[in-house]
Amino acid sequence: MYTTELSKTTNVASTEDPDKLAAFEARVAADEFIEPKDWMPEAYRRTLTRQISQHAHSEIVGMLPEGNWITRAPSLRRKAILLAKVQDEAGHGLYLYSAAETLGTSREQMIEALHSGKAKYSTIFNYPTLTWADIGAIGWLVDGAAIMNQVPLQRTSYGPYARAMVRVCKEESFHQRQGYEIMMAMCAGTADQKRMAQDALNRWWWPSLMMFGPPDADSPNTAQSMRWRIKRETNDELRQKFVDITVPQAAALGLSIPDPALRWNEAKGGHDYGDVDWEEFYAVVRGEGPVAKERIKARRDAWEEGAWVRDAAAAYAAKRNRKAEAA
Amino acid sequence: MAQDWPLWEVFVRSRGGLSHRHVGSVHAPDPEIALRHARDTYTRRMEGISLWVVPSAQIVASDPADDAAMFDPAADKVYRHPTFYSIPDDVTHI
């Protein structure tokens, strides 16, 4: 999903107080929510901080591929919609940064980690948006996959994260629908427009499946994360669900999914699908995505070019405080 | 890099007659910018008609470690609820 590093090793330190650990595990197992000031094992705090901050970074970097098309949206209606969607992504990033901060990492540290390349974000945003149809495909597939991931996280064990997810999910459903509507319009348009829609699906299909993360067999900490209710369904379970709901949506558009191995499997009650190119996924995680450098440069430039605004606001606040103290 | 701006807790009144409810937080250097950020972050879809922002540092919270001492004494005082008292069915309006 938005957390490509979930599979990193988390060592549940044996230094934790066993009584506290047992009480914590029992609370989580009973589906209670953990709140910021509650005792929690260090590994839980660390894993969550990584997961939530990666999720936040993904929302923020996720504005870039779409921002690319705001000035070239084909109508005022589409432009207003795209602006609202990109603004939502900024908002989602902010909800999530706030949630991560409650675990003891500052906003500044997280932004620094993103800009230095230390922190990861979803691999999906390191692919370029070449045509307007990509904006449709992103809303439909990328936001669709994100929703699939995020819905179960509304019941995640960490209260601030769960509450942020409730807000995000409520707002995200328009993102997917507006994307699908763009695809509908293009598929009902000229032959060229339909070709563009098919081309966008061809390019975004496999990266969207990669958003759910590596196969369960290569995701050794899934069991731990599921026990802690940081994750509520496995990568492969979510990927299967996504394939099953998306296939008929593609059919309704008259588009074909670029996977010759895709077919309905009556026995399992789901689709079989071809092998995901995990080498490509790991390469993108390592920072070798087609536009990875461009994305981080855009983030750094925005941060640096906005520095004078932040400085001015801080100077103004300092002056006001001085005056208030003097009065 | 400069230090983070102070944190503010955001409360929204969704409509007249309801109390303000905590929705999240924002960083801002001063109260006006805190309000503007709160508006952009938490009320993009007609979520409310009034906003409060409060410096997070000003909030005094109970300690979860003291939960039992704080809240358990209420548990054995069920006589504070009307259902504790049984009244015959034929006695009405009570």
Side-chain angles (χ1 to χ4, degrees), chain A residues 85-126:
Chain A
K85 178 178 191 300
V86 171
Q87 194 190 13
D88 272 355
E89 307 299 0
H92 298 175
L94 296 177
Y95 307 153
L96 288 159
Y97 279 132
S98 294
E101 283 172 77
T102 62
L103 291 160
T105 305
S106 74
R107 180 81 56 101
E108 183 194 336
Q109 285 171 312
M110 288 186 272
I111 289 177
E112 170 60 26
L114 174 65
H115 291 179
S116 71
K118 202 177 130 227
K120 303 287 182 203
Y121 53 88
S122 178
T123 51
I124 196 81
F125 301 118
N126 285 334

Side-chain angles (χ1 to χ4, degrees), chain A residues 13-25 39:
Chain A
S14 48
T15 53
E16 301 286 8
D17 178 335
D19 291 342
K20 284 184 175 170
L21 188 60
F24 171 86
E25 299 271 1
W39 185 90

Side-chain angles (χ1 to χ4, degrees), chain B residues 21-78:
Chain B
R21 188 167 166 219
H22 183 244
V23 292
S25 50
V26 292
H27 285 280
D30 65 48
E32 284 79 16
I33 295 182
L35 267 180
R36 281 167 191 256
H37 283 179
R39 168 194 175 267
D40 288 346
T41 310
Y42 294 103
T43 61
R44 291 193 302 282
R45 287 179 174 76
M46 302 179 291
E47 284 91 341
I49 54 160
S50 163
L51 272 172
W52 286 351
V53 290
V54 179
S56 308
Q58 296 293 318
I59 290 183
V60 181
S62 63
D63 184 342
D66 299 336
D67 275 1
M70 290 282 278
F71 306 114
D72 284 2
D76 59 0
K77 297 180 178 60
V78 285

